[in-house]
């Protein structure tokens, strides 16, 4: 009579992935953001894994979580394993849909920098399908389905343009501004993603800190730009994003002082993509022809 003993139960992949992400990123909230779930779900998965192991992987404290010696010992191997899994998935996607390229980028970059270049990219790379997802933070390309990241960063990828900032406004409003001190008399628009822009500009322009501009706050840079175009106030403009508006005279720079930030517009991809892949070709196009500003309408 054949004997069929029960097989040892394997750990759930979702639990292992939750552990690796939380251990690598240093917390349940950061892991939840990367994996697209709630911190409670991450906590539940890790508790389940710890229960099956019969040993803790994290020490819970009032300030967060800290890896136990077992967790710290296990992290490198799991990190390497999930990196290899991510690379295998990318190779599978390349083979299944070789002409599809998924780009993750900041909403403002998608609207003001990438979108104007897409018609020429499609014309020069017929048959290539470009998919764009707007995100507030760069994803981990080894753990997601994106091929390229396009963000302002001070570390990753290839520099496409420096991030030069300075006040901009509608021409009619600019006529009322003779010096930066006049900013005290007009609304100064803010974008929550770049709320420190005014401080950076004032500091690099060596202007008195008591100017301290104040004004309406917007959750999207596009809304702030639209209000600047409507004459609602002065906005810190990112030259690489607003160059077409400046070239057409829809927005003007009332002052001469500019500031260059440490971060730059950078493009990067996961290492190891083949030179013939569509993602590599789009990467090369954006770093070369893509640097040129679109012709003003």
């Amino acid at each position: 009579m054949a004997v069929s003993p029960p097989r040892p139960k394997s750990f759930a992949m979702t639990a292992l992935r939750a552990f690796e992400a939380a251990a690598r990123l240093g917390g349940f909230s950061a892991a939840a953001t990367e994996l697209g779930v709630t911190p409670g779900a991450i906590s539940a998965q890790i508790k389940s894994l710890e229960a099956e192991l019969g040993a803790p992987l994290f020490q819970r404290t009032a300030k967060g979580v800290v890896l136990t010696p077992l967790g710290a010992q296990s992290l490198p191997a799991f990190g390497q394993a999930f990196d290899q899994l991510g690379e295998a998935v990318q190779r599978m996607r390349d083979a299944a849909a070789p002409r599809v390229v998924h780009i993750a980028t900041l909403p403002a970059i998608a609207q003001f920098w990438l979108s104007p270049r897409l018609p020429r990219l499609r014309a020069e790379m017929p048959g290539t399908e470009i998919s764009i997802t707007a995100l507030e933070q760069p994803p981990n390309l080894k753990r997601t389905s994106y091929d390229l990241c396009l963000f302002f960063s001070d570390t990753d990828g290839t520099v496409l343009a420096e991030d030069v900032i300075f006040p901009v406004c509608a021409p009619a409003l600019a006529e009322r501004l003779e010096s930066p001190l006049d900013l005290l008399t007009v609304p100064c628009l803010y974008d929550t993603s770049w709320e420190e822009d005014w401080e950076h500009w004032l500091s690099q322009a060596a202007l008195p800190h008591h100017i301290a501009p104040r004004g309406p706050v917007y959750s999207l840079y596009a809304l702030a730009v639209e209000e600047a175009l409507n004459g609602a106030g002065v906005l810190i403009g990112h030259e690489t994003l607003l160059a077409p508006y400046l070239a057409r005279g829809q927005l003007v720079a009332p002052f001469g002082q500019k500031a260059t930030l440490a971060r730059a517009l950078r493009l990067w991809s996961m290492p190891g993509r083949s030179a013939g892949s569509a993602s590599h070709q789009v990467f090369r196009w954006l770093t070369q022809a893509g640097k040129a500003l679109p012709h003003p309408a």
Side-chain angles (χ1 to χ4, degrees), residues 3 16 50 206 263:
V3 178
L16 295 175
E50 289 174 326
R263 69 193 182 209

Side-chain angles (χ1 to χ4, degrees), residues 103-117 138 149-165 194 238-243 260-268 283 286-287 290-294:
I103 303 176
T105 187
L106 198 68
I109 297 174
Q111 180 171 350
F112 295 109
W113 195 92
L114 186 56
S115 179
R117 290 167 169 78
C149 278
L150 181 61
F151 286 83
F152 286 112
S153 172
D154 55 6
T155 55
D156 300 299
T158 299
V159 174
L160 302 189
E162 297 296 333
D163 192 12
V164 180
I165 63 173
W194 295 317
H238 293 253
E239 186 172 42
T240 190
L241 301 183
L242 302 186
T260 301
L261 303 184
R263 69 193 182 209
L265 181 62
R266 293 172 180 262
L267 178 71
W268 64 95
F283 181 97
L286 289 174
T287 56
K291 287 185 179 182
L293 292 173

Side-chain angles (χ1 to χ4, degrees), residues 240-277:
T240 190
L241 301 183
L242 302 186
Y245 294 91
L246 294 164
R248 294 192 293 262
Q250 293 174 280
L251 292 172
V252 297
F255 317 117
Q257 297 94 330
K258 296 184 177 182
T260 301
L261 303 184
R263 69 193 182 209
L265 181 62
R266 293 172 180 262
L267 178 71
W268 64 95
S269 64
M270 191 169 72
R273 308 304 289 270
S274 69
S277 68

Side-chain angles (χ1 to χ4, degrees), residues 163-182:
D163 192 12
V164 180
I165 63 173
F166 46 88
V168 299
C169 62
L173 180 56
E175 294 177 359
R176 296 161 44 193
L177 305 175
E178 295 183 359
S179 78
L181 288 175
D182 292 330

